[in-house]
Amino acid sequence: MSTPTHFINIMDFSAEYLAERIEAAIREKDEFRRGRLEPVLAGKTLAMYFEKPSLRTRMSFEVAMTQLGGHAIYLTEGEVGLGKREPVKDVARVISGMCAGIVARTFSHEAVLELARHASVPVINALTDYSHPCQVMGDLMTVREKLGRIAGLKLAYVGDGNNVARSLACACAKLGAEFVLASPPRYRLEDEFVAALRRAVPSARFSQTADPASAVAAADVVYTDTWVSMGQEKDKHQKVRDFQGYQVDMALVRRAKPTAVVMHCLPAYRGNEITDEVMECPQSVVFEEAENRLHFQRSLLACLLR
Ligand code: CP
Ligand code: NVA
């Protein structure tokens, strides 16, 4: 039996593979809109295991399976008890015997890696505390559609150095875009990640600053995410205090290029990391970005589970 291709970390893939996945997703989105998509996953089932809440990720995977002629089963931590009711390696083998793929959203990144070590079907990371690869592939697909290219652009991420920021930094480096993170110093991406990124992509244009204004200067994309990720609720008051001065408001957006787009992976906390005015402004592409989760992941499923 051949080893399945998992989709867990952007770092695992070549620039060519990532670029081709984005181009394929754009092509298949067009085919879908023309009603020409083939039901290539007919008769196949996807297991979707979630330890955290979700709107976009759960919906997009489930809708994608329906559109491809297959079926998806939503499983929660309370039912499965991954690593508690039974060992991760047993869950991986039981699901592999019945399903064509596993989508998993867990707190622990190691749990998804362990699922993949023991599964004989593809495992797709639907967000861990460490990374959110499907999100950023849909994001860069949106950038490619809106701005015509990815390489050579500047993406300014204003906010927490979190799972989304880590995956985005990696995808930008691989695909030739500059990535600048603006955050209070203690919320930067960790040295270990930055060193790994520089080893993997020596030409990466990656920097971190405490100054949002300099980060967004001449940016093509202004991106933000919640200051309080799922699982960090107890730190909410501290983080909201620490991030004062890091809100994406219209004054900040005006420092970027006039052609810049504003992005947010959602859910957005209007009045914290982003204003209502920015969310609703003509430069905001957040809802097309959300829809592209479906188009990217449908293409990914068709590729990996076929
Ligand atoms: N952006 C994102 O992953 O949203 P959900 O948490 O709603 O899936
Ligand atoms: N950083 C956020 C992303 C939500 C899609 C979180 O982990 O909660």
Side-chain angles (χ1 to χ4, degrees):
M1 191 173 50
S2 63
T3 313
T5 301
H6 305 297
F7 195 79
I8 296 177
N9 272 320
I10 297 293
M11 200 77 102
D12 301 337
F13 297 100
S14 68
E16 293 69 31
Y17 182 87
L18 297 172
E20 175 45 29
R21 288 268 38 90
I22 289 175
E23 295 309 314
I26 293 172
R27 279 196 306 273
E28 288 161 34
K29 176 177 175 178
D30 183 58
E31 283 166 21
F32 171 74
R33 290 195 163 164
R34 291 164 187 264
R36 291 192 190 149
L37 204 69
E38 298 290 330
V40 294
L41 298 186
K44 297 200 173 177
T45 302
L46 177 70
M48 308 194 301
Y49 171 74
F50 280 73
E51 290 179 356
K52 304 184 187 190
S54 173
L55 173 65
R56 281 145 291 272
T57 308
R58 181 206 169 162
M59 285 228 314
S60 50
F61 275 113
E62 190 161 340
V63 170
M65 282 305 287
T66 304
Q67 290 173 345
L68 290 168
H71 177 65
I73 298 178
Y74 175 66
L75 300 160
T76 61
E77 184 179 20
E79 288 154 341
V80 178
L82 188 73
K84 295 178 188 139
R85 184 167 181 261
E86 59 186 306
V88 176
K89 60 183 178 184
D90 290 7
V91 173
R93 285 176 288 181
V94 170
I95 295 179
S96 297
M98 302 185 196
C99 294
I102 307 173
V103 158
R105 169 170 287 194
T106 57
F107 288 92
S108 151
H109 188 70
E110 176 54 30
V112 172
L113 294 174
E114 196 179 346
L115 271 175
R117 280 197 294 276
H118 298 283
S120 55
V121 296
V123 173
I124 299 174
N125 176 355
L127 179 150
T128 65
D129 286 349
Y130 186 73
S131 63
H132 198 3
C134 293
Q135 176 69 51
V136 307
M137 290 299 283
D139 294 342
L140 292 188
M141 173 185 174
T142 311
V143 169
R144 163 78 178 77
E145 287 179 326
K146 291 285 166 191
L147 303 177
R149 65 195 170 112
I150 297 167
L153 299 182
K154 176 182 180 184
L155 188 149
Y157 178 103
V158 181
D160 192 21
N162 63 13
N163 44 9
V164 172
R166 206 173 280 111
S167 294
L168 208 44
C170 197
C172 284
K174 295 249 176 185
L175 295 172
E178 179 180 358
F179 179 91
V180 184
L181 182 140
S183 71
R186 64 180 284 211
Y187 297 107
R188 286 182 182 181
L189 289 167
E190 65 283 4
D191 294 345
E192 199 185 344
F193 167 76
V194 177
L197 181 68
R198 294 205 187 283
R199 271 197 308 277
V201 190
S203 62
R205 284 177 305 146
F206 169 88
S207 59
Q208 307 197 77
T209 173
D211 179 19
S214 71
V216 303
D220 299 282
V221 180
V222 178
Y223 196 114
T224 189
D225 180 18
T226 182
W227 295 331
V228 186
S229 285
M230 292 178 278
Q232 298 181 338
E233 290 76 11
K234 64 176 185 342
D235 303 327
K236 180 175 174 185
H237 296 295
Q238 182 66 49
K239 290 192 91 173
V240 169
R241 269 199 303 277
D242 292 346
F243 276 96
Q244 291 312 303
Y246 289 86
Q247 184 182 66
V248 175
D249 59 14
M250 283 311 299
L252 193 66
V253 171
R254 280 190 206 102
R255 291 177 177 270
K257 283 188 183 158
T259 49
V261 293
V262 176
M263 304 184 76
H264 192 309
C265 58
L266 305 179
Y269 297 87
R270 297 170 192 229
N272 279 354
E273 76 276 4
I274 194 164
T275 62
D276 183 62
E277 195 182 5
V278 172
M279 281 289 289
E280 303 296 341
C281 80
Q283 285 166 269
S284 164
V285 297
V286 297
F287 296 106
E288 288 146 286
E289 177 187 1
E291 184 188 324
N292 273 341
R293 296 293 306 283
L294 167 66
H295 300 298
F296 175 74
Q297 288 157 208
R298 188 181 54 232
S299 176
L300 182 70
L301 289 168
C303 171
L304 299 187
L305 271 55
R306 210 187 284 225

